[in-house]
Amino acid sequence: MRSPTLPAASRSVVDATVLPRLIRIGPNLCVAAFTLMKLLPARFMLDRAEQRGELKPGTTVLETSSGTFALGLAMVCRLRGYPLVIVGDPAIDPALCRRLGELGAQVEICTEPSPNGGFQQARLDRLAELRSRYPDHYVPGQYHNPDNPNAYAAVAEQIAETVGAVDCLVGPVGSGGSTGGTAAFLRLLQPRMRLIGVDTSPSTIFGQADGPRVVRGLGNSLVPPNVSHDAYDEVHWAGPAEVCRATRELHARHALFMGPTSGASFLVARWYAERNPGSQVVAFLPDEGHRYQETVYRDEWLAERGLLDVPATAAPRTVTDPGDAVGGWARMLWRRRSLDDALREARRDRGTALGEAR
């Protein structure tokens, strides 16, 4: 009896897990479930930097991150032998700090936010200081490096070959790489494909004032240059109670143990798919839930923050101004506008409404 032919073993854990699993969880809803989404752009950025001669043996990699991009970089740098310094802030949880340290990364924590731009600006300022300390260095720059969105060509190809025609892509927006990059490549085949970005309040990405956020991995205190605002047809701001409930439902109903950014994406994608049964929807689920077992998956943590017994919200409210989206789940028809154009029209509409009220 002939033994079955097995696929060739991957060269590393990075190669084995860099692409998502595509899973159908509804009649017209598929999810792209990543073990660690930021592993893809981390590897791609370092690949391109090596090809350009910007990254050589002994070069120190410097980056600012308080989440999964730091972990992705640490994994790739450990396997390739590059020293890594991560500039983070108190949002880095102890478990992530331990993992980064075990992978050989040096972690510097900014303990005070910048007056303008919060911790993210403080981290960028500290990163600028470190560049003078390490003459031979490379900064991936996930917020502005075009290699970040370009990395997702591989995901777009995987989706196109496996799922086929996609009518709507849904995903959380942080650096702007995953949703904007994937949509740009998929739209080469389907220019009319809708793109829905998922954020949380308060966040500056789509025009709100900055403020404290409960949900990890969503929202930003600065507007990353890699966010192509004119790529989005619709934007949703998901409240923390809705996000945490959806994250737990994703696990309880579909056995997908994911983090809160995945829950936010699932919340919006399920809502859209149910209301558009003739559309094929794909949702990004960026990372697994192991880091959140003591937070999102723990009732006591939710109760301490007043999130445990919040009544379920069946649908978002629709707003025409990002400022009106703060608090709970809200959506705005973005219509592929620039950030300036969207805010200008919102101010104009608000002024018209005030004039009519008088």
Side-chain angles (χ1 to χ4, degrees), residues 46 49-61 80-83 136-138:
L46 297 194
E50 289 173 345
Q51 292 169 4
R52 293 190 294 260
E54 299 171 0
L55 186 57
K56 303 173 183 177
T59 299
T60 298
V61 178
R80 298 189 185 184
Y82 295 116
D136 182 13
H137 68 265
Y138 169 70

Side-chain angles (χ1 to χ4, degrees), residues 18-94:
V18 71
L19 289 176
R21 296 152 291 164
L22 295 174
I23 305 163
R24 183 169 295 281
I25 63 171
N28 63 327
L29 176 57
C30 286
V31 295
F34 290 82
T35 300
L36 183 68
M37 175 188 274
K38 292 298 183 74
L39 199 55
L40 176 63
R43 186 184 72 169
F44 190 84
M45 290 181 189
L46 297 194
D47 284 347
R48 294 299 175 267
E50 289 173 345
Q51 292 169 4
R52 293 190 294 260
E54 299 171 0
L55 186 57
K56 303 173 183 177
T59 299
T60 298
V61 178
L62 307 175
E63 183 60 302
T64 167
S65 172
S66 283
T68 53
F69 189 63
L71 182 56
L73 275 179
M75 292 172 67
V76 179
C77 286
R78 167 55 84 187
L79 294 173
R80 298 189 185 184
Y82 295 116
L84 173 65
V85 180
I86 293 293
V87 181
D89 59 49
I92 293 186
D93 56 87

